[in-house]
Amino acid sequence: MLEPGVLTLAATPIGNPLDASVRLMRALGEADVIAAEDTRRLARLLSALEVTAQGRILSYHEHNEAERTDVLLEALGEGERVLIVTDAGMPVVSDPGFRAVRAATEAGYTVTVIPGPSAVLTALAASGIAPDRFTFEGFPPRREGRRASALEPLATEQRTMVFFESPRRTAVTLAAMAEAFGLERRGAVARELTKTYEEIQRGTLGELVAWAEATEVLGEVVIVVAGAEPVAASAEDLVEDVLARAAAGERLKDAAKAAARSAPGITASELYDQALRRKDTHAPRGKG
């Protein structure tokens, strides 16, 4: 049951309305104010769920967030039960809601969440790519130069990466990813998740580029890309790290032990001996 004067964020189905939780259905019926990203989509969801909204419905999207957030705060101040929903998935995650959360918490109001469907987690789970560590990167920039600049520093990211993308830009974005990450990097493209025509393509980025260029990509798209393989540090690089630690005041043996912990196969004694020889080689000699 929704509490008076509490802001609630609720996840909505990402495709199949049967994924709606009982809590979401109750919240939609109980809320005094429902702030919806698209009121027409909300109306369709209410119809599919056979729920009648008792409260007033406001549009709440990226173009009116600032002014409508003030309206939501006023409603909270009057003890009303305020609910935020977006077109699909969780508010705030690449969707409106963050501004309201920040304003509500700063004003001292309670914020709670009704969890539910997530395109990020659904695509990640189905991708076949390691899910133990991942990062959500949202939508890549639309312009070619900015997109390339955003992807370039991610080339060495070792966590699995999840992106949202428009179907119209999926092919060019995959090509940019192949350029930045390499043709052989593993990836997956998930479209229309939980809907009738759900499709998941898996393969190398090179293979996915070929697929996207030969296909009319339709629907909501999530791209999952494997992280970079870790690059083993060389003993020479580690010795430099040991010497830098020692120069900063750390004992040479302790510095060697710390550096060795990050490099399987290289022992602390080996690093210590090499660092000691390097120090001796570069030590200033006195006059004979």
Side-chain angles (χ1 to χ4, degrees):
M1 175 177 284
L2 297 184
E3 296 292 331
V6 173
L7 176 66
T8 302
L9 309 175
T12 55
I14 60 176
N16 192 327
L18 294 178
D19 292 333
S21 69
V22 173
R23 285 185 66 197
L24 170 64
M25 295 170 65
R26 288 181 177 175
L28 290 169
E30 294 175 357
D32 298 307
V33 178
I34 302 177
E37 183 178 11
D38 186 326
T39 57
R40 292 167 299 180
R41 286 203 182 190
L42 174 61
R44 290 197 292 271
L45 178 62
L46 290 171
S47 176
L49 299 179
E50 299 182 350
V51 171
T52 300
Q54 303 296 330
R56 66 187 189 277
I57 297 174
L58 304 174
S59 65
Y60 188 75
H61 48 72
E62 61 178 331
H63 302 298
N64 68 2
E65 267 192 279
E67 60 188 81
R68 287 293 164 86
T69 293
D70 291 338
V71 174
L72 299 185
L73 287 183
E74 290 177 9
L76 290 171
E78 294 171 2
E80 293 189 296
R81 297 164 295 185
V82 178
L83 179 69
I84 294 180
V85 294
T86 53
D87 292 347
M90 181 62 69
V92 177
V93 182
S94 283
D95 274 330
F98 175 70
R99 189 189 295 266
V101 171
R102 184 168 58 183
T105 54
E106 288 177 353
Y109 296 110
T110 298
V111 176
T112 188
V113 174
I114 297 176
S118 164
V120 173
L121 298 180
T122 303
L124 182 64
S127 69
I129 297 173
D132 49 339
R133 298 175 65 240
F134 70 92
T135 172
F136 174 59
E137 298 296 331
F139 285 90
R142 297 183 181 187
R143 295 183 180 178
E144 181 179 355
R146 293 182 61 190
R147 181 168 54 238
S149 297
L151 294 175
E152 183 181 358
L154 296 177
T156 57
E157 172 59 66
Q158 294 182 19
R159 294 171 293 182
T160 295
M161 295 168 282
V162 183
F163 301 83
F164 285 165
E165 189 49 287
S166 157
R168 297 187 303 277
R169 294 190 298 274
T170 296
V172 295
T173 293
L174 286 170
M177 289 176 172
E179 178 71 22
F181 307 151
L183 291 170
E184 297 305 312
R185 184 79 70 91
R186 302 295 299 180
V189 178
R191 54 173 292 273
E192 294 291 85
L193 287 169
T194 77
K195 299 179 183 177
T196 303
Y197 298 105
E198 175 179 290
E199 180 181 13
I200 301 174
Q201 289 288 330
R202 305 174 183 85
T204 66
L205 288 178
E207 292 169 340
L208 293 175
V209 169
W211 165 79
E213 291 178 345
T215 306
E216 183 184 8
V217 181
L218 300 173
E220 310 253 346
V221 173
V222 184
I223 300 173
V224 183
V225 182
E229 293 294 330
V231 178
S234 67
E236 184 176 346
D237 290 338
L238 291 172
V239 169
E240 292 294 336
D241 181 42
V242 171
L243 292 172
R245 287 171 175 267
E250 195 170 345
R251 290 179 62 237
L252 195 62
K253 284 189 176 181
D254 293 337
K257 288 179 181 178
R261 281 196 290 269
S262 64
I266 299 178
T267 66
S269 59
E270 179 183 356
L271 292 177
Y272 175 77
D273 291 341
Q274 289 192 37
L276 203 57
R277 286 196 296 270
R278 184 82 66 84
K279 286 185 67 176
D280 290 343
T281 300
H282 293 86
R285 301 181 180 278
K287 295 182 180 180

